[in-house]
Amino acid sequence: EVHIVESGGGLVQPGGSLRLSCAASGFTYDHYNIFWARQAPGKERERVSCISSRDVGRYYQDSVKGRFTISRDNAKNTVYLQMNSLQYEDTAVYYCGAQYGRDCRGGDAMDYWGKGTLVTVSS
């Protein structure tokens, strides 16, 4: 059975930091590109970051460049999203998705999604 579990969300003040984790099991994790996407109330879900299956490429949404860093440890079947200098507009449910492939330039469809973890930035 495939499991994707996000963790690390919570309530932080503007300028604070969080590290999200995406732990997976039940599939060959190092064959999948891993995406982080987020959805704020009343807004469409948007891709935030992606790391390719073999870490040959990383992608960041323009709004988070320089603040967020994605990394993966395939030996642990885990991808991380380090979020620094958090802003009010970063408030959203953050989802981890897995897409079979070698790079992050494929289609929009994911093979698997986690249930999400809530990040709230508030003073």
Side-chain angles (χ1 to χ4, degrees), residues 12 21 29 32 48 57 72 78 80 87 99:
V12 297
S21 297
Y29 201 66
Y32 287 75
V48 174
R72 69 188 297 161
T78 301
Y80 305 96
Q87 304 167 1
Q99 178 191 73

Side-chain angles (χ1 to χ4, degrees), residues 28-100:
T28 49
Y29 201 66
D30 61 349
H31 290 182
Y32 287 75
N33 307 312
I34 302 298
F35 289 78
W36 285 99
R38 67 187 182 187
Q39 187 165 22
K43 297 183 179 180
E44 295 183 349
R45 188 172 65 181
E46 64 174 354
R47 293 184 179 184
V48 174
S49 187
C50 176
I51 187 166
S52 64
S53 58
R54 301 297 295 175
D55 195 13
V56 296
R58 301 182 184 188
Y59 162 84
Y60 300 96
Q61 168 71 241
D62 286 344
S63 64
V64 307
K65 287 181 179 178
R67 299 188 298 118
F68 290 10
T69 302
I70 192 169
S71 61
R72 69 188 297 161
D73 185 343
N74 286 341
K76 297 181 179 179
N77 285 3
T78 301
V79 166
Y80 305 96
L81 186 68
Q82 179 66 45
M83 306 186 297
N84 298 326
S85 301
L86 285 162
Q87 304 167 1
Y88 293 119
E89 54 265 39
D90 295 316
T91 295
V93 177
Y94 284 72
Y95 299 92
C96 178
Q99 178 191 73
Y100 185 84

